[in-house]
Amino acid sequence: ATVLGVFVLADIFAHESGLLAVVVMGMVMGNQKLPNIKELLYFKESLSVLLISILFILLAANIEYSELMLIYNWKALLLFGAVMLIVRPLGVFLSSINSGLKWNEKIFISWVGPRGI
């Protein structure tokens, strides 16, 4: 609640400054000697997963059917195939040189590894 309050208050004083205020607040709190910091970090992690999950649901809900039909063509399929079968595995293999990973582990990471947002 405090983080949300700081965000709104900073945004009232200066437009688009709420995010910066919350980041600075997080840095200050992270450097303090709080007694229950482990519980706070666990709560933050759970909240982050929940909010990111909601974000992807809301983004998908904003797609219009007519916009979605614009990308269904052979060019999009070719791009998808190139990224999944060439670019992504190449990136994994290049970034894992001298890592000790086996061939099958690199292929597995290429297929299901985290890709970020």
Side-chain angles (χ1 to χ4, degrees):
T2 305
V3 173
L4 189 58
V6 167
F7 178 85
V8 170
L9 189 63
D11 220 34
I12 289 172
F13 285 119
H15 184 65
E16 298 294 329
S17 66
L19 183 61
L20 177 63
V22 170
V23 169
V24 171
M25 181 182 173
M27 290 174 21
V28 169
M29 286 185 66
N31 289 321
Q32 290 180 352
K33 301 289 184 204
L34 297 174
N36 298 332
I37 193 72
K38 295 286 185 195
E39 289 84 9
L40 187 61
L41 290 174
Y42 178 74
F43 174 71
K44 181 206 69 88
E45 183 178 328
S46 301
L47 191 61
S48 296
V49 170
L50 177 68
L51 291 175
I52 289 173
S53 301
I54 291 172
L55 171 70
F56 283 114
I57 292 170
L58 291 175
L59 287 174
N62 284 332
I63 296 176
E64 295 290 329
Y65 184 74
S66 59
E67 295 170 351
L68 191 58
M69 293 311 293
L70 291 175
I71 65 167
Y72 282 136
N73 57 36
W74 65 272
K75 293 177 190 175
L77 185 62
L78 185 65
L79 177 64
F80 177 75
V83 169
M84 290 298 296
L85 300 174
I86 298 169
V87 177
R88 173 72 178 162
L90 184 64
V92 169
F93 278 86
L94 289 176
S95 65
S96 61
I97 293 174
N98 296 327
S99 67
L101 291 173
K102 297 176 190 169
W103 179 262
N104 59 350
E105 292 171 337
K106 291 179 183 182
I107 292 174
F108 180 73
I109 292 171
S110 296
W111 183 247
V112 296
R115 290 171 180 84
I117 297 175

